[in-house]
Amino acid sequence: MKRKLLLSVIFISLLPDGYSQAPADLLQQWYQRAPVEKTWLHFDRDNYLAGETAWFKAYLYSDYQPDTISSVLYVELLNEASVILSRKALPVMLASTYGQFELPDTLVTGMYLVRAYTPTMLNNGIEYVYKKKLFIFGKKPIGAEPPNRAHTVLLDFFPEGGNLVSGFTNTIAFKATDEKGQPVEIKGTINNSKGQEVTTFSSYHDGMGMFELIPESGEKYTARLGETASPQTYPLPVIADKGLVLSIIPHPQGGFFEIHQRMDNPSRRAAYMIGQMQHHVLFRQDLSPAKDEMQGVLNTEKLNSGIMQVTVFTGEGLPLAERLFFVNNKEYIHTAALRTDTLSFAEKGRNHFTIQLKDTVQGSLSLSVTDADYALSPQRPENIYSGLLLTADLRGYIHNPAWYFSAEDDSVKTATDLLMMTHGWRRFRWEELASKLKQPLPFADPSYITITGRVTLGGTNRSFPEKTLIALISAEGMRRNAQFITTDMQGNFKLDSLLFFGDARIFIVDIRGKKSKYIDVKMTSDTLGRSYPVVYPGHSFFAESSLAGKQKKLADDFEAIQKANGLMLEEITLKVKKKNPTDLLDEQYTRGAFSGPSERSIDLVNTEEFVTGANIFDYLQLRIPGLDLATDGNEYKLYYRQGPMISSMGPIPMTLYLNEIETDASVIASLPPSEIALVKLYSTFIGATGGGAGGAMAIYTRKGADITNSSRGDLISYRGFSVVKEFYVPDYKADPSLLVKPDTRITLDWRPNIFVNNINPVIPVSFYNTDRTRKFRVVVEGMTTSGKLISLEKIISQ
């Protein structure tokens, strides 16, 4: 592409300290309030069968470092009708989290959308929301096959800098897609209003290309595609007689820019230029309003990689032209290598691989090993590089974004520059920054789980002010948690920074013993379960990738797996001793030293007996011979006759545990007996101080399906973070009986939680082959604590 050279060359310098200019200052203030956040999800595969599980690991990234801003990530699965089929709320720790989607076997065949975001990510707009499409093979869609439509080409034009200005040489980029948003390779001509050919054009990569044009004032230009019987025409953008033209081309030091402007329009002349990345102002270069042509070099050699936004302003701060430019200095890469120590494609053969990293590495990685013959493409079309440095900053669908990181030759650089020109968008409007800074941010980080509520006296609307209460939190898979809370003058309370999974119950009680009051608790906010205004990406996002040869393979495999699963179920005969309800309750509630035999167990879930008494101790006195209760005001002490009774200090009281946490008797006495699930009595207890010489009692509050309606209105039902499951892999060495069963897994290994902190770390990986896999796809991705990215993909075949 020809460029007119001028004598004067302006070199860009970094922003000096003390610089003060309205747009730059406003942008820096906005960054301080709302830093840019991004996320990338490593899925084990790009396609699934209905009824399978889709596994993923999420990495959060902000300001080229692991994201320490957000504590919660939402991951959603939607169908093409924009219906949310599944929503996962996951806690973020050390800038990462992981989970899974259990795909219902009722899903129909087609493309589905995965999107992921944090609440604070939305303060910078929905463009930063992570989006990915997954192909799921399931039931045949109901209804007739869609009719065959005539091939339609959509053609859009993008003048470089944003303006098509008469009298100057303009570079115009274009993008051609079909009705599904997929790129189309084209060529054609540009004609004026008289039908005369002015220039020709053709696509360079993935339907994108560019051409030069000197438009005449008042003229209307159209594009006409060739090689068709009745070629369709497309209008070019309207020509402006005012404004300036900005162009940037790749340069060994970064980018070479040119500015052309009119001398007869002083109010629209360039005064300075600003470059910013991730809302950080990198440079400000003064320009000369007295010159009609300027050029220079944008030196980006020492910058972080990513998309830089260059904007030209008037002296009054009015933006005149804008251009995106991609910087790729490769400083973000932390290299990784894969060594195949033992390779076996035999049925259920054992494989040993090693992941090797260089230098001192501290960070988090994820690994997937899958059957490469079931992938939709030979290479993944996107990876952690493209996800965090490219697509997160661009609007719309990007075809095969990982390709732009595949090589360093000029063809890739030119195609990347075309991508910048055809997918550019204003992350903000400069003129709106001042007003945005005056408004509160719409979204805040929920600080894991935060619950607020109001406490009133039971059966009334009278507040329960300035009282200390205890909140007992019970959820599946966690030790029971007890926290003290204090109400304010209006009876309001707040529980924050909570971390639990699945359905939970929060039981809030007055702990003043006999002075305790019946209370009602009403939750006033739910930070974890709230919904957020995330816009649907549109039907073009669901354009199917090439499924040639894959759909039949998936259909055959789906049928074979269903048959295999059916045979497996038919052949299994269970011969186990049936446990009684109390034993099952013990397994459900107890852990460690509390599990197993005890002196006595009292099951309050499976009993038909009416539980009476002011508190659980009154009830137990009637049920357990030899249990004595001593009271002194609000103080309680329990003594059990089967334990040692006398010492030099007198009778030894029992050690009491509530949900396996040593607890004062007055706290337990405040609980209504109807909330107790299980009581276990020990004459001695190894877990207690001194071996529990006076005996021990473990009391468990109800959880999950065992919870009954509270008579006090002081029970909150709450759904915590989504439950994370463990990936199952067969161990044929530990259980040889599995060798006779069919193994048709497509994901052979999935490890989302690999942490490294070492010099030149080596990570061993072992897994068993299936009955049919003859080609492994191994993918390793990760992020170090310094913000380096790890991306390794390798196909291993016979």
Side-chain angles (χ1 to χ4, degrees), residues 72 74 87 89 446 448-450 523 525-532 718-721:
V72 178
Y74 294 96
R87 187 184 199 227
Y448 295 104
I449 297 174
T450 298
M523 193 168 64
S525 71
D526 176 10
T527 58
L528 194 62
R530 67 169 293 185
S531 59
Y532 293 90
Y718 193 89
R719 175 152 298 179
F721 287 108

Side-chain angles (χ1 to χ4, degrees), residues 7 32 50 174 207 238 248 345 358 376 384 403 438 449 477 480 518 526 530 546 604 618 783:
L7 294 177
Q32 295 295 335
F174 62 86
V238 176
I248 302 176
F345 288 101
K358 293 183 178 181
L376 296 183
I384 194 170
W403 179 84
K438 296 178 182 178
I449 297 174
R480 284 51 161 206
Y518 286 87
D526 176 10
R530 67 169 293 185
S546 175
L604 298 179
D618 290 339
M783 182 188 302

Side-chain angles (χ1 to χ4, degrees), residues 44-45 52 55 344-346 348-351 353 367-374 727-732 743-751 765-778 796:
D44 63 317
R45 284 151 49 194
E52 287 189 315
W55 306 90
S344 175
F345 288 101
K348 300 181 176 67
R350 186 72 178 266
N351 289 270
F353 295 171
L367 162 80
S368 62
V369 182
T370 58
D371 188 332
D373 286 330
Y374 283 82
F727 179 78
Y728 168 76
V729 289
D731 189 340
Y732 294 118
D743 187 346
T744 55
R745 294 170 296 138
I746 300 176
T747 299
L748 285 71
D749 201 3
W750 167 249
R751 305 187 187 194
V765 177
S766 293
F767 63 93
Y768 288 97
N769 191 20
T770 66
D771 294 341
R772 61 186 181 180
T773 302
R774 298 297 177 264
K775 188 188 296 183
F776 301 136
R777 168 178 278 181
V778 181
I796 302 173

Side-chain angles (χ1 to χ4, degrees), residues 7-8 42 107 122 145 234 385 422 462 469 475 482 536 585 621-622 627 635 639 675 763-764 782:
L7 294 177
S8 61
H42 172 193
L107 294 180
L122 301 177
E145 293 291 331
Y234 303 84
Y385 298 158
T422 56
R462 293 171 52 196
L469 310 173
Y536 185 66
L585 192 72
Q621 271 194 300
L622 301 176
L627 182 67
E635 298 297 323
Y639 301 93
E675 294 301 325
I763 305 165

Side-chain angles (χ1 to χ4, degrees), residues 221-534:
Y221 296 92
T222 58
R224 176 173 296 188
L225 300 184
E227 300 181 352
T228 58
S230 55
Q232 184 177 353
T233 59
Y234 303 84
L236 267 64
V238 176
I239 299 170
D241 292 326
K242 298 181 179 180
L244 59 80
V245 173
L246 168 68
S247 64
I248 302 176
I249 60 173
H251 182 275
Q253 292 179 299
F256 183 85
F257 75 89
E258 285 186 329
I259 294 175
H260 298 263
Q261 60 183 351
R262 296 186 183 282
M263 299 297 294
D264 58 355
N265 189 15
S267 64
R268 293 298 182 96
R269 295 183 63 77
Y272 60 91
M273 180 167 55
I274 283 178
Q276 69 91 12
M277 297 175 73
Q278 307 301 304
H279 294 175
H280 282 295
V281 176
L282 303 174
F283 68 81
R284 174 199 183 264
Q285 174 63 45
D286 287 329
L287 302 173
S288 175
K291 293 184 178 180
D292 58 354
E293 297 182 4
M294 291 167 281
Q295 60 183 202
V297 174
L298 305 176
N299 192 330
T300 63
E301 292 177 306
K302 296 182 180 181
L303 298 181
N304 287 317
S305 298
I307 297 177
M308 180 169 64
Q309 180 182 10
V310 178
T311 308
V312 178
F313 293 90
T314 66
E316 292 74 31
L318 177 68
L320 295 175
E322 190 170 271
R323 171 77 146 82
L324 299 186
F325 185 78
F326 190 71
V327 178
N328 191 2
N329 290 324
K330 298 189 178 296
E331 85 296 338
Y332 53 87
I333 297 175
H334 193 107
T335 56
L338 182 70
R339 186 181 70 213
T340 56
D341 304 311
T342 303
L343 181 63
S344 175
F345 288 101
E347 293 186 7
K348 300 181 176 67
R350 186 72 178 266
N351 289 270
H352 298 272
F353 295 171
T354 300
I355 304 170
Q356 299 172 312
L357 301 171
K358 293 183 178 181
D359 303 323
T360 300
V361 184
Q362 184 179 25
S364 174
L365 293 84
S366 50
L367 162 80
S368 62
V369 182
T370 58
D371 188 332
D373 286 330
Y374 283 82
L376 296 183
S377 57
Q379 295 290 323
R380 294 185 306 154
E382 50 189 348
N383 55 36
I384 194 170
Y385 298 158
S386 64
L388 294 179
L389 300 177
L390 188 67
T391 56
D393 288 305
L394 295 176
R395 174 180 291 172
Y397 170 71
I398 311 298
H399 186 71
N400 196 15
W403 179 84
Y404 298 96
F405 295 82
S406 62
E408 298 184 56
D409 54 54
D410 290 341
S411 62
V412 173
K413 292 180 180 179
T414 301
T416 304
D417 210 40
L418 281 171
L419 189 70
M420 296 298 102
M421 288 192 279
T422 56
H423 288 78
W425 56 277
R426 290 188 173 181
R427 297 163 185 76
F428 48 83
R429 293 187 178 276
W430 288 94
E431 58 270 24
E432 295 177 358
L433 272 178
S435 60
K436 288 178 67 174
L437 287 168
K438 296 178 182 178
Q439 302 170 5
L441 292 175
F443 306 107
D445 181 69
S447 185
Y448 295 104
I449 297 174
T450 298
I451 298 173
T452 61
R454 183 170 181 261
V455 182
T456 57
L457 285 170
T460 74
N461 197 34
R462 293 171 52 196
S463 62
F464 200 60
E466 298 183 311
K467 298 293 190 299
T468 299
L469 310 173
I470 190 170
L472 302 173
I473 305 171
S474 177
E476 293 289 340
M478 69 170 285
R479 295 182 64 89
R480 284 51 161 206
N481 190 344
Q483 294 197 22
F484 289 97
I485 58 176
T486 302
T487 59
D488 63 13
M489 289 294 295
Q490 288 73 42
N492 299 313
F493 70 90
K494 180 180 180 180
L495 281 166
D496 60 9
S497 301
L498 301 176
L499 181 60
F500 54 83
F501 296 82
D503 293 331
R505 301 287 177 159
I506 304 175
F507 183 53
I508 299 178
V509 293
D510 188 0
I511 56 173
R512 296 177 298 162
K514 292 185 177 180
K515 293 183 179 180
S516 297
K517 301 292 184 181
Y518 286 87
I519 58 174
D520 290 330
V521 179
K522 183 179 180 181
M523 193 168 64
T524 56
S525 71
D526 176 10
T527 58
L528 194 62
R530 67 169 293 185
S531 59
Y532 293 90
V534 183

